[in-house]
């Protein structure tokens, strides 16, 4: 029997939209939302796969009023408008359906339900099985033995479909599907604002219709006095609201006689316009659907074996070295193997190199059996300043090579960094970059096996993805060779593509003059590392453990019994059941005891202060004592932290393995940890810190006169703010008043709210709101900047730093207030924090160069936000301090000067 699938377009789009939200709110690079489209297609593909229909149609609502709206002004009046994020996806799904040659049916004056009902009736008359796909249970009235309603739902993150035919409706409701119209007439429908009879719910309505079948029969029985099951107030309400019941039944009845032109034969499943579907899916980044329907086969591209060929060569082959030197260019990718040295310390070793000859479309593969032998041969190439180096994640390569006595020089292009500058919120993996900029699916290529041979006379050549069965017998076959060959090929192809894109968005100078020179600086910082006094670190750990033992005894005494302080459930019982402290928040597993809750409970019992201190010391010991010890290199006695430049959306540098930028400073024992970081004997730390760099950037960008004057006259900017907001002389500003002004100064471009400020300062929200309003009134240039930048970002879809570092912020177009607020904060904050990050990077590059030029015995060892630390020979300290201050203060010229404070010390703690 033939089958028809009719889809309620608006209902399924709506269900898909809300089913894929939150962290999975899908967007394209330019910020176009795609979650509803993706979800809609996932649902419809699942149903098509299951039922294999011969005919398909999708019905959509139009904005024009229907007969229901004309009959009752309040019909659906309570419904909010379609969210912008969903509305912008409606034309997209229609374009896709047209490309799939799936019929779209819309009729002015009728709803999609009416079209579904009309098509179902036509098909049933032609003995065609019908499936109605909808998220709306109103369609249950259409169910028959040949018409099945399929309702999608999400279970455990997966879409499942429930089927409702006549039999299932009878089992679930106890009435025929058509009788549900009568039920709705009595009970109404709050979602559609159908009134029904006041006070009559679903249970009562169902019982009445089971007994009387129709509303007419019910009222006839009431008139005749035979309606014995209806009594009291319910009876009164039904009698009084006959007109409402009949109106509600009309409003809830699906019209199955819509005058549509389409016949069932016109809805026959047709071949897709695959090329058009592919183009749309590529634009939307729907790679899973492209793979699922093998659409990549349509792309006009070379066969795998024609992209390039791989040549296995030996280290002793001088031709490759001569060719690289002649071309003045090395496009390479190292094959690496994990070398896990401890639980925390994981290193990589070089096991192979793939080199792309871009002119001849050849990849040279060298299996590295002896690293020393390889480096002996290639050192001249890797260190040659006249040979440009192109690769991926080259800071990692730099460190590995430096550990083996080779200095990678003239690093001009890193594909990972190019991708990061183009879009800092997208992961710049080779796979992602290849897919986005080259239309290459690396995983697809790797999965393929090309059986054709590309051997040429005199050359030992291997097809890109040849069958490995014969090769697997060889002991030293490198299976990753094929993957890495594709990687190096993609790196080579990405060069021109990404550089053109960078030029197009005006970020090429940022890439060439800031990000690429920084690669060597950060890699060298990792190589340098920071010396750690291991014995002193262990002593701090011992002290922390003793303090924790004492605190544990005190907490148990205050709690009246021994219990596991680290157990949320046990702690919750002590605090809220035994000590009867006020319960602020409960979770599924019990009482909440997070830091925010405990802070609010401090005034109720002395145990809370002890618990907070206990937690702080526990974290210090586990994260910053026991956590740091494994990272101390046994050979150098230094911690060699990894510095990332492709992680944060604002351009800030981050540190991991371990994170040295996050060592706590709020409590004294945390600060004491910095004492274990020391320069080697005969050396000293020179510490330089930008003074209020973000506020200075804000003054420059906003051109606020008051803030500019404060910096030009070297005034205390926080005292000035307090003076102007409170209307008092600057020399009368108290320490507390200055602190309040400081909180606003630093919080304003982070979108600080009256609630946030009130919590921070311990004042009422009303006072906090007034303070913010007065601040913005006095600093109207800042207010203007904040208003303008949010509106400009909303229009353009992105925001930039002074150096054209771009960040896309699609959140500003969200219909969700909280998401929009995040977008507004990001729009205000990114130009400030991002420009400050760019300034620090420029300063680091300039300092690095000057230290080398002057041949000073000094090296950069750490960067923490606005702070830069150099370890230098004591004999050079004056010159280094001067050089450091000059280069940091002259990194950029702004309306207001940059100010840097320097100091010297024999450990990190004393350097602040």
């Amino acid at each position: 029997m033939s089958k028809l699938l009719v889809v309620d377009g608006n209902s399924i789009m709506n269900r898909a939209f809300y089913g894929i939200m939150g962290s999975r709110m899908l967007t394209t690079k330019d910020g176009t939302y795609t979650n509803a489209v993706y979800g809609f297609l996932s649902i419809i593909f699942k149903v098509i796969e299951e039922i294999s229909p011969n005919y398909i149609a999708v019905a959509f609502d139009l904005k024009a009023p229907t007969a229901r709206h004309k009959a009752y002004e309040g019909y659906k009046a309570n419904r909010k408008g379609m969210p912008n994020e969903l509305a912008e996806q409606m034309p997209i799904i229609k374009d896709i359906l047209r490309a799939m040659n799936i019929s779209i049916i819309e009729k002015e004056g009728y709803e999609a339900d009416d079209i579904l009902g009309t098509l179902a009736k036509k098909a049933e008359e032609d003995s065609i099985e019908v499936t109605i796909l909808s998220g709306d249970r109103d369609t249950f009235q259409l169910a028959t033995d040949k018409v099945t309603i399929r309702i999608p739902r999400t279970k455990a993150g997966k879409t499942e479909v429930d089927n409702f035919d006549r039999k299932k409706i009878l089992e679930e409701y106890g009435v025929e599907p058509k009788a549900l119209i009568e039920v709705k007439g009595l009970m109404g429908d709050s979602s559609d604002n159908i009134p029904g009879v006041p006070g009559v719910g679903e249970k009562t309505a169902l019982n009445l219709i089971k007994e009387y079948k129709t509303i007419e029969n019910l009222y006839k029985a009431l008139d005749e006095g035979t309606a014995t099951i209806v009594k009291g107030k319910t009876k009164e309400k039904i009698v009084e609201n006959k007109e409402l019941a009949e109106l509600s039944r009309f409003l809830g009845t699906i019209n199955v006689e819509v005058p549509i032109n389409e016949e069932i034969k016109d809805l026959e499943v047709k071949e897709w316009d695959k090329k058009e579907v592919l183009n749309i899916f590529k634009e939307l980044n729907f790679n899973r659907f492209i793979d699922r329907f093998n659409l990549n086969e349509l792309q006009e591209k070379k066969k795998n074996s024609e992209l390039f060929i791989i040549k296995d060569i030996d280290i002793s082959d001088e031709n490759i070295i001569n060719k690289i030197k002649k071309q003045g260019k090395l496009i390479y990718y190292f094959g690496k193997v994990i070398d896990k040295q401890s639980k925390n310390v994981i290193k990589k070793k070089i096991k192979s190199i793939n080199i792309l000859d871009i002119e001849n479309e050849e990849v040279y593969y060298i299996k590295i059996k002896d690293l020393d032998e390889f480096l002996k041969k290639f050192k001249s190439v890797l260190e040659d300043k006249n040979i440009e180096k192109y690769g991926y994640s080259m800071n990692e390569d730099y460190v590995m090579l430096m550990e083996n006595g080779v200095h990678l020089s003239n690093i001009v292009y890193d594909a990972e960094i190019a991708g990061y500058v183009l879009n800092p919120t997208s992961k710049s993996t080779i796979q992602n970059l290849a897919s986005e900029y080259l239309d290459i699916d690396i995983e697809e290529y790797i999965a393929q096996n090309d059986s054709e041979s590309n051997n040429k006379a005199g050359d030992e050549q291997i097809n890109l993805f040849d069958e490995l069965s014969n090769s697997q017998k060889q002991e030293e076959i490198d299976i990753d060779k094929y993957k890495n060959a594709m990687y190096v090929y993609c790196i080579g192809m990405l060069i021109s593509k990404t550089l053109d894109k960078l030029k197009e968005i005006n970020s090429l100078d940022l890439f060439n003059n800031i990000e690429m020179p920084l690669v060597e600086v950060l890699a060298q910082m990792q190589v340098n590392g920071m010396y750690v006094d291991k014995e002193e670190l262990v002593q701090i750990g011992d002290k922390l453990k003793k303090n924790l033992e004492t605190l544990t005894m005190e907490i148990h005494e205050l709690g009246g019994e021994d219990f596991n302080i680290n157990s949320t459930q046990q702690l919750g019982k002590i605090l809220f059941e035994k000590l009867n402290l006020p319960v602020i928040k409960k979770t599924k597993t019990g009482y909440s005891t997070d830091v925010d809750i405990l802070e609010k409970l401090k005034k109720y019992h002395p145990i809370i202060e002890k618990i907070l201190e206990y937690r702080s010391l526990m974290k210090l010991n586990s994260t910053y004592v026991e956590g740091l010890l494994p990272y101390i290199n046994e050979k150098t006695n230094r911690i060699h932290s990894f510095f990332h430049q492709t992680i944060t959306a604002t351009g800030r540098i981050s540190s991991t393995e371990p994170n040295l930028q996050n060592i706590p400073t709020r409590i004294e024992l945390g600060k004491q940890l910095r004492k274990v970081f020391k320069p080697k004997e005969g050396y000293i730390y020179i510490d330089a810190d930008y003074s209020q760099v973000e506020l200075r950037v804000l003054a420059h960008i906003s051109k606020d006169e008051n803030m500019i004057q404060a910096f030009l006259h070297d005034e205390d900017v926080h005292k000035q703010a307090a003076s102007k907001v409170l209307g008092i002389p600057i020399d009368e500003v108290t320490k507390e008043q200055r602190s309040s002004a400081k909180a606003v100064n630093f919080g304003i471009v982070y979108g600080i709210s009256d609630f946030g400020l009130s919590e921070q300062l311990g004042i009422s929200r009303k006072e906090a709101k007034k303070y913010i309003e007065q601040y913005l009134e006095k600093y109207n240039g800042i207010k203007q900047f904040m208003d303008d930048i949010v509106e400009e970002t909303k229009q353009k879809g992105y925001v930039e730093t002074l150096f054209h570092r771009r960040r896309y912020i699609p959140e500003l177009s969200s219909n969700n207030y909280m998401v929009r607020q995040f977008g507004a904060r990001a729009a205000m904050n990114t130009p400030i924090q991002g420009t400050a990050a760019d300034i620090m990077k420029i300063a680091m590059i300039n300092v690095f160069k000057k230290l080398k030029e002057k041949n000073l015995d000094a090296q950069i060892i750490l960067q923490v936000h606005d702070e830069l630390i150099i370890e230098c020979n004591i004999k050079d300290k004056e010159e280094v301090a001067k050089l450091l201050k000059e280069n940091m203060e002259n990194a950029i010229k702004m309306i207001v000067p940059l100010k840097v404070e320097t100091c010297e010390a024999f450990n990190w703690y004393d350097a602040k």
Side-chain angles (χ1 to χ4, degrees), residues 333 336 348 390-397 413-434 437 487 490-491 494-495 498 502 511 515-516 519 642-647 805:
Y333 184 82
K336 299 155 191 168
K348 294 179 182 178
Y390 300 79
Y392 179 87
S393 197
M394 296 170 79
N395 54 350
E396 190 176 86
D397 299 344
Y413 177 86
D414 186 316
E416 181 181 32
I417 293 169
Y420 168 71
V421 175
L422 285 167
N423 189 356
T425 55
S426 177
K427 287 185 178 179
S428 298
T429 63
I430 296 182
Q431 289 92 332
N432 288 351
L433 295 172
Y437 298 106
Y487 284 173
C490 289
I491 290 167
L494 282 166
I495 296 168
T498 54
L502 287 164
F511 176 77
E515 292 297 344
M516 285 315 301
V519 173
F642 189 92
F643 297 95
H644 301 269
Q645 66 185 108
T646 61
I647 299 294
R805 181 183 301 281

Side-chain angles (χ1 to χ4, degrees), residues 281 444 451 476 500 548 694 873 903:
F281 282 179
E444 177 197 336
S451 59
E476 296 177 358
D500 286 347
L548 283 166
E694 290 189 5
N873 195 307
C903 62

Side-chain angles (χ1 to χ4, degrees), residues 609-667:
E609 197 79 60
K610 298 290 182 183
I611 293 167
L612 286 168
E613 187 181 353
Y614 175 89
R615 286 188 178 178
S616 295
L617 297 190
M618 277 291 289
K619 184 173 182 180
L620 273 177
N621 187 53
S622 62
T623 306
Y624 299 107
V625 175
E626 293 174 3
L628 288 176
L629 283 168
Y631 286 106
I632 300 173
N633 187 293
E634 291 179 6
K635 293 179 183 176
T636 65
N637 292 316
R638 288 173 174 258
I639 284 179
H640 300 271
S641 181
F642 189 92
F643 297 95
H644 301 269
Q645 66 185 108
T646 61
I647 299 294
T648 67
T650 58
R652 272 191 166 186
I653 297 162
S654 60
S655 160
T656 60
E657 300 176 46
N659 183 357
L660 294 182
Q661 295 181 330
N662 203 32
I663 291 180
T665 57
R666 290 188 177 182
I667 58 175

Side-chain angles (χ1 to χ4, degrees), residues 350-545:
I350 301 169
K351 67 173 182 177
S352 65
I353 186 171
N354 286 268
I355 299 166
L356 176 65
D357 181 348
I358 203 165
E359 294 175 7
N360 298 308
E361 295 185 334
E362 294 177 335
V363 172
Y364 299 100
Y365 169 77
I366 300 175
K367 173 82 172 177
I368 300 173
K369 300 173 185 176
D370 186 326
L371 185 59
D372 290 337
E373 184 186 355
F374 166 74
L375 292 176
K376 187 178 178 182
K377 286 281 184 183
F378 265 78
K379 182 170 182 172
S380 62
V381 170
L382 296 167
E383 292 191 339
D384 194 328
K385 294 178 181 178
N386 295 315
I387 297 175
E388 297 176 341
K389 312 303 187 310
Y390 300 79
Y392 179 87
S393 197
M394 296 170 79
N395 54 350
E396 190 176 86
D397 299 344
Y398 183 100
V399 172
M400 285 192 297
L401 291 170
M402 280 294 287
E403 288 171 346
N404 290 280
V406 176
H407 182 181
L408 184 65
S409 66
N410 200 8
I411 300 169
V412 299
Y413 177 86
D414 186 316
E416 181 181 32
I417 293 169
Y420 168 71
V421 175
L422 285 167
N423 189 356
T425 55
S426 177
K427 287 185 178 179
S428 298
T429 63
I430 296 182
Q431 289 92 332
N432 288 351
L433 295 172
S435 174
E436 183 166 358
Y437 298 106
L438 305 175
D439 292 328
I440 289 176
D441 187 328
I442 290 178
E443 296 304 320
E444 177 197 336
Y445 282 131
I446 292 170
Q448 290 177 358
N449 292 313
D450 193 332
S451 59
E452 296 176 12
S453 173
N454 277 328
N455 291 335
K456 294 181 181 177
D459 285 336
E460 185 185 338
Q461 298 177 337
I462 301 175
N463 230 3
L464 175 56
F465 299 109
D466 216 347
E467 290 287 348
L468 295 180
S469 54
N470 294 327
S471 301
Q472 282 166 350
K473 296 174 185 177
Q474 302 172 22
E475 282 184 25
E476 296 177 358
I477 182 69
D478 181 1
I479 296 173
D480 282 343
K481 158 169 68 175
Y482 305 99
K483 177 179 72 176
N484 294 340
M486 178 56 81
Y487 284 173
V488 78
Y489 172 78
C490 289
I491 290 167
M493 297 302 104
L494 282 166
I495 296 168
S496 61
K497 286 275 187 182
T498 54
L499 291 180
D500 286 347
K501 288 280 185 184
L502 287 164
K503 187 175 181 181
E504 185 182 310
I505 67 169
N506 206 20
S507 296
L508 191 57
D509 285 344
L510 170 70
F511 176 77
N512 286 332
N513 302 327
I514 298 180
E515 292 297 344
M516 285 315 301
L518 190 69
V519 173
E520 184 178 5
V521 179
L522 296 182
Q524 189 62 55
M525 282 168 58
Q526 182 178 346
V527 172
N528 296 338
M530 291 184 80
Y531 173 80
V532 179
D533 188 326
K534 188 174 181 179
E535 190 177 323
E536 195 171 326
L537 183 60
V538 171
Q539 288 173 1
I540 290 175
D542 291 340
K543 187 176 180 180
L544 283 168
K545 287 171 187 172

Side-chain angles (χ1 to χ4, degrees), residues 726-871:
L726 301 174
I728 59 176
I730 197 166
D731 54 2
E732 291 182 15
V733 173
T734 66
K735 185 179 178 181
E736 290 73 22
Q737 289 168 337
R738 182 186 183 277
S739 294
S740 298
K742 183 178 180 180
V744 179
N745 263 334
F746 283 122
I748 202 74
V749 292
Y750 290 85
I752 195 167
S753 63
D754 49 9
F755 174 77
L757 186 62
S758 69
E759 289 280 299
Q760 194 171 335
L761 300 181
I763 60 177
S764 70
R765 288 185 68 172
K766 188 176 179 181
E767 289 174 298
K769 184 179 181 182
K770 185 179 179 183
Y771 200 118
I772 292 171
E773 287 172 351
Q774 288 174 330
Y775 177 93
L776 292 174
E777 185 182 322
K778 297 296 181 183
Y779 293 86
N780 54 13
I782 293 173
K783 184 180 188 306
Q784 191 66 50
F785 158 73
M786 290 165 63
D787 293 343
D788 290 349
I789 199 69
V790 171
E791 187 56 37
E792 183 184 329
T793 305
K794 188 175 181 180
Q795 295 300 320
K796 296 197 305 188
Y798 62 86
V799 68
E800 289 185 317
T801 69
L802 289 180
F803 296 91
H804 302 290
R805 181 183 301 281
R806 183 176 289 196
R807 178 181 180 181
Y808 294 93
I809 307 182
E811 293 87 353
L812 277 175
S813 299
S814 173
N815 205 48
N816 183 299
Y817 175 77
M818 296 303 291
V819 175
R820 280 201 315 276
Q821 288 299 100
F822 167 81
R825 290 194 297 273
M828 291 185 284
N829 169 245
T830 298
I832 310 303
Q833 193 178 96
T835 297
D838 291 339
I839 289 170
M840 174 56 85
K841 288 179 176 180
I842 293 167
M844 291 172 71
I845 293 163
N846 292 343
V847 168
F848 184 79
K849 286 179 182 175
K850 290 294 181 183
L851 290 175
K852 288 175 77 173
E853 283 175 17
K854 293 182 177 290
N855 201 27
L856 292 165
D857 188 2
Q859 55 191 12
I860 304 173
I861 56 167
L862 185 64
Q863 184 272 330
V864 182
H865 307 314
D866 304 330
E867 176 188 6
L868 202 55
I869 302 177
I870 289 181
E871 183 178 5

Side-chain angles (χ1 to χ4, degrees), residues 95-256:
D95 285 345
I96 293 173
L97 292 171
R98 291 186 190 100
M100 291 177 173
N101 287 315
I102 292 175
S103 298
I104 295 172
I105 304 178
E106 301 165 317
K107 186 75 175 176
E108 194 168 295
Y110 298 92
E111 294 181 55
D113 283 356
D114 300 325
I115 297 169
L116 301 179
T118 301
L119 290 173
K121 183 184 178 187
K122 282 187 176 186
E124 194 173 12
E125 287 170 354
D126 292 342
S127 298
I128 295 172
E129 280 188 11
V130 180
T131 293
I132 296 174
L133 178 61
S134 174
D136 190 347
R137 288 175 176 252
D138 290 347
T139 54
F140 283 0
Q141 63 185 268
L142 301 173
T144 68
D145 291 331
K146 288 184 180 178
V147 177
T148 302
I149 317 300
R150 293 172 72 97
I151 304 285
R153 60 183 173 86
T154 302
K155 184 179 180 182
K158 292 184 178 179
T159 297
E160 295 185 359
V161 179
D162 292 329
N163 298 332
F164 292 87
D165 56 9
R166 174 179 171 273
K167 185 180 178 183
K168 182 75 178 286
I169 300 289
L170 276 167
E171 286 174 3
E172 190 148 320
Y173 295 98
V175 298
E176 289 286 343
K178 283 187 179 179
L180 291 174
I181 300 170
E182 312 293 330
V183 173
K184 181 163 285 194
L186 292 174
M187 64 176 280
D189 184 348
S190 59
S191 65
D192 288 340
N193 204 35
I194 296 175
V197 175
V200 174
E202 183 180 45
K203 186 177 179 181
T204 301
L206 278 169
N207 286 335
L208 291 171
I209 298 306
K210 283 177 188 175
E211 180 71 22
Y212 300 106
K213 309 304 180 190
T214 68
I215 287 175
E216 282 86 352
N217 289 345
L218 169 62
Y219 279 102
K220 185 179 178 183
L222 286 167
D223 290 341
E224 294 172 351
T226 58
T228 54
I229 67 169
V230 192
K231 297 176 182 178
K233 288 187 178 180
T234 302
K235 181 178 180 180
E236 287 176 24
K237 286 179 180 176
I238 293 173
V239 171
E240 290 169 5
N241 291 283
K242 182 179 180 183
E243 287 184 7
L244 266 185
E246 291 173 343
L247 170 66
S248 297
R249 180 178 58 183
F250 167 74
L251 296 175
T253 303
I254 292 174
N255 184 347
V256 295

